[in-house]
Amino acid sequence: MVSVIDDDNFVLSLLITIFIQLAFFAGAVATKSEKLYDFAGGLNYIIVFIATFLLAQNGNNTRGLVLTILVSVSRSILAGFLLYRVLSRKGDARFDSALEDPCKFLIFWVFQMAWVFLIASPVIYVNGSGKDPSLGPTDYVGFALIGIGMVFQLVADLQKFAFRKDPSNRGKICDVGVWAVSRHPNYFGEICIWWGAFFTTILPLVHTNEYWAIWTIASPIFTMFLLLFVSGIPLAEGQALKRFMKTPADKERSLQFY
């Protein structure tokens, strides 16, 4: 394994993340556009995943190879979808009050630096630990969770996007496909992906006695915290309550989807 700055390449990954986000921030300020914000996050993930895997120089690192491919594909799909969606819209309401103030706008990019680095930590560890014990049950559970999460997230995003593009659905609650059984199937998918990634760290950290790496569990926990209590469901349901749930019957009906 090639170690750059630190043994597990965590510091390198953080520096790569800071550089990418600041570069996109500079471009966003110059163009006064937030359209590449989500794409910058997705690209950042992919570069960190591939860089840490290649630096491992371990052709037999089956765990790292499978994990890197799965999460890179998931981030590619999500980044591409979010880029297409934002380009097809007038803008992103999250940044309405920040585009004219570079200092305020920078806060969003600093947050994304922290988000990307923390969420990517299980993959960085698996690729950078230098150890690849034989695959075990926790790995297969992890790979399965990532696969399930990818499917849920992709299907949910495509179904809702198609639902919203149909003029006849204006003002209606999306209740087609996976949205008929879950209020937030896309968030469920995202949470599954990062719990799956964490599960793949278990055997390497036990094999090397590097129990300090248990901190990478912060990846799925932070994902759950954000989506359940901060920027995911609270924002989505706050907007939905105003736009779609106009009667008591609407509210009761929506709760049945959870």
Side-chain angles (χ1 to χ4, degrees), residues 10 45 48-49 114-125 194 219:
F10 276 108
Y45 279 114
V48 166
F49 296 155
W115 187 342
V116 169
F117 177 72
L118 185 60
I119 303 307
S121 60
V123 186
I124 298 172
Y125 175 72
W194 298 114
S219 171

Side-chain angles (χ1 to χ4, degrees), residues 3-78:
S3 297
V4 181
I5 304 177
D6 64 314
D7 290 340
D8 298 291
N9 288 324
F10 276 108
V11 174
L12 174 65
S13 299
L14 178 60
L15 293 176
I16 290 174
T17 297
I18 292 172
F19 174 79
I20 291 174
Q21 295 306 313
L22 287 180
F24 273 93
F25 165 70
V29 170
T31 59
K32 291 187 176 181
S33 171
E34 81 294 345
K35 292 186 181 296
L36 293 181
Y37 181 78
D38 290 318
F39 177 78
L43 179 64
N44 197 154
Y45 279 114
I46 296 167
I47 291 175
V48 166
F49 296 155
I50 294 177
T52 54
F53 177 75
L54 293 178
L55 287 171
Q57 290 190 334
N58 183 357
N60 298 319
N61 187 0
T62 304
R63 177 181 292 99
L65 176 62
V66 176
L67 178 61
T68 297
I69 290 174
L70 286 174
V71 291
S72 294
V73 170
S74 78
R75 295 308 90 181
S76 298
I77 294 172
L78 183 60

Side-chain angles (χ1 to χ4, degrees), residues 168-180:
S168 65
N169 292 325
R170 183 178 296 276
K172 296 180 180 179
I173 300 170
C174 182
D175 60 354
V176 299
V178 293
W179 294 90

Side-chain angles (χ1 to χ4, degrees), residues 177-210:
V178 293
W179 294 90
V181 294
S182 172
R183 279 156 64 185
H184 302 283
N186 51 340
Y187 296 156
F188 169 77
E190 183 74 2
I191 290 170
C192 281
I193 288 171
W194 298 114
W195 273 112
F198 171 72
F199 267 76
T200 66
T201 70
I202 295 175
L203 285 181
L205 71 84
V206 170
H207 182 79
T208 58
N209 292 319
E210 293 181 335

Side-chain angles (χ1 to χ4, degrees), residues 3 8 26 28 78 87 91 105 107 112 116 119 126 132 136 138 148 151 170 186 210 219 242 248:
S3 297
D8 298 291
L78 183 60
L87 291 177
F105 195 27
I107 295 174
Q112 184 153 262
V116 169
I119 303 307
V126 168
D132 185 40
T138 54
I148 291 170
V151 171
R170 183 178 296 276
N186 51 340
E210 293 181 335
S219 171
K242 295 179 181 178

